[in-house]
Amino acid sequence: MTARRVAVIVVAAGSGTRLGADLPKAFVPLAGRTILEHALHSVAGMARTPHVVVVAPGHLLAEARTVLERVIGSGDVVPGGATRQASVAAGLALIGDAEIVLVHDAARALAPAELFDRVVDAVERTGAGAVPGMPVADTIKRTDASGAILDTVDRDTLAAVQTPQGFPADQLIAAYAAAGRSVTDDAQLIADAGHPAHVVPGDPLAFKITTAWDLHRAEELLREASVTRIGVGTDTHAFSDDPAAPLWVACLEWPGERGLSGHSDGDPVAHAIVDALLSAAGLGDIGGVFGTSDLRFAGAHGDVFLSETRRLLTEAGWRIENVSVQLIGNRPRFAPRKAEADAVLSELLGAPVAVTATTTDGLGFTGRGEGLAAIATALLTR
Ligand code: CTP
Ligand code: MG
């Protein structure tokens, strides 16, 4: 059996009245990304590659398209309606020839990719709707309009349902076309149309961000899940025998100073930083990544190595928090250009870099003036 074609509709057109931010809810920042971007990252993590439709407020279509293209690569963006139901209907018009359709609230920003996969698998296996649900922990009372308790509902028969909800596409399209009332989830219209649907295990992370408290909880969860890594790197180069060799240290040229020997420009500060960054990220070291036989790097200055290292880290999901480097040697006199070096390196890495320098009291190869060394530490988060 070939796998069914899957579409995911992400509804993000609500205003977020209960959240009370000055932006529509899906465009509110959460740990440095929008709520919509988090939701799309989960979709991007699915085992299948679905067709993705984002339903957005009419005045934010361009923003929605930018994040859709960045996170998923392709898909459709369509303006929503006045209700969630109208927004889903707008999205359904763009699912093309998909056989299984998932409808997901952007507001459930932390719903894991595995939950999407579980729903797709259940629809494929049963040929019927699949709705993630959580057991209800509280005792539930039925009350009258005045609040007087009438009875207790047996919570074992209840499920608090979430999204993504998945359905055979033809069933959901027909159910929407025939909709005779307004509902708050898609499974209600499927039931109205007389189709079965089943609850599959939900995920606590698929909670809906509704109020400011929920947004705060999502921030905390992301903060706790973030990973911090430290790395160390050192580098040493001997002064060159060639009196005309220029000196490059910390991505700056030092006119009038004796140069260093090395395959590239011999910049020990830049090379120690690269090793610290690669080590923190678990990506190996400068020799392995840049290879001394690679002609692209022969004579290259530190900026080439630092920019490429930054790109590799970003690709692997790492963010550079800061870098600290110490240069060891008698010359050049570093202090007068420290601010310049810090600025150039910080710009190259997009993170604060601080360089200091020290001598070794006349001891060792640095004390004898035979060469320079540098030690760097780097802190990354993901
Ligand atoms: N939604 C939508 N179009 C609407 C209303 C809601 O696409 N006209 C989407 C929301 O963007 C959200 C999901 O449906 O991702 C669930 O709705 P809800 O949490 O109620 O979001 P809002 O309607 O934006 O919030 P509120 O009810 O507090 O205004
Ligand atoms: Mg709403």
Side-chain angles (χ1 to χ4, degrees):
M1 190 180 72
T2 59
R4 304 285 161 82
R5 286 183 294 277
V6 178
V8 178
I9 300 172
V10 179
V11 282
S15 54
T17 322
R18 288 168 288 178
L19 184 60
D22 48 9
L23 279 166
K25 184 161 73 182
F27 296 83
V28 167
L30 162 61
R33 293 171 173 168
T34 62
I35 284 178
L36 173 62
E37 185 163 354
H38 283 282
L40 289 174
H41 268 282
S42 297
V43 176
M46 288 173 67
R48 302 276 184 88
T49 305
H51 176 66
V52 181
V53 181
V54 174
V55 187
H59 66 290
L60 290 170
L61 297 180
E63 284 81 351
R65 184 171 306 283
T66 303
V67 12
L68 176 64
E69 277 167 11
R70 183 166 65 234
V71 181
I72 307 284
S74 67
D76 288 301
V77 176
V78 61
T83 61
R84 181 185 186 281
Q85 193 172 338
S87 293
V88 175
L92 271 177
L94 287 172
I95 64 166
D97 61 0
E99 295 156 290
I100 292 174
V101 60
L102 269 55
V103 181
H104 183 55
D105 295 334
R108 298 180 191 273
L110 304 189
E114 296 72 40
L115 185 61
F116 289 74
D117 293 337
R118 190 181 305 156
V119 170
V120 172
D121 291 347
V123 177
E124 198 149 62
R125 198 174 57 246
T126 63
V131 175
M134 297 292 290
V136 175
D138 294 320
T139 298
I140 307 290
K141 301 292 187 190
R142 204 188 311 276
T143 63
D144 69 12
S146 76
I149 293 172
L150 303 175
D151 59 5
T152 300
V153 183
D154 176 10
R155 70 181 174 209
D156 289 343
T157 67
L158 299 179
V161 302
Q162 307 174 320
T163 73
Q165 299 187 356
F167 309 94
D170 52 354
Q171 282 184 15
L172 193 64
I173 291 168
Y176 264 82
R181 59 173 178 147
S182 56
V183 295
T184 53
D185 81 341
D186 309 289
Q188 289 179 59
L189 289 182
I190 286 288
D192 287 355
H195 298 298
H198 304 281
V199 169
V200 298
D203 193 300
L205 287 173
F207 72 92
K208 187 159 67 105
I209 298 173
T210 305
T211 62
W213 187 83
D214 298 322
L215 184 63
H216 179 71
R217 180 154 60 118
E219 296 264 7
E220 287 294 306
L221 285 164
L222 287 170
R223 203 170 50 78
E224 282 168 19
S226 90
V227 175
T228 302
R229 288 281 182 273
I230 192 168
V232 64
T234 72
D235 191 44
T236 300
H237 285 280
F239 283 114
S240 169
D241 295 331
D242 175 2
L247 178 70
W248 284 83
V249 170
C251 294
L252 298 177
E253 188 174 4
W254 299 75
E257 296 283 346
R258 187 160 158 202
L260 293 161
S261 62
H263 170 69
S264 63
D265 67 0
D267 182 341
V269 168
H271 298 172
I273 293 175
V274 169
D275 261 348
L277 291 169
L278 292 173
S279 153
L283 291 174
D285 64 16
I286 192 167
V289 171
F290 294 97
T292 45
S293 59
D294 191 331
L295 291 176
R296 279 180 304 155
F297 304 115
H301 293 305
D303 58 343
V304 174
F305 297 94
L306 289 169
S307 300
E308 176 62 7
T309 302
R310 179 184 178 182
R311 197 191 62 75
L312 289 170
L313 262 52
T314 306
E315 200 175 81
W318 293 103
R319 189 178 118 127
I320 305 171
E321 294 296 335
N322 81 303
V323 173
S324 173
V325 201
Q326 191 160 46
L327 173 70
I328 306 165
N330 302 338
R331 294 199 63 81
R333 299 290 308 141
F334 191 77
R337 297 186 73 188
K338 171 189 164 49
E340 199 184 337
D342 288 358
V344 166
L345 295 168
S346 301
E347 173 73 25
L348 282 166
L349 293 181
V353 180
V355 189
T356 56
T358 188
T359 58
T360 50
D361 207 13
L363 297 174
F365 70 89
T366 51
R368 292 188 299 270
E370 294 166 9
L372 294 177
I375 302 175
T377 53
L379 192 72
L380 308 181
T381 54
R382 181 166 65 185

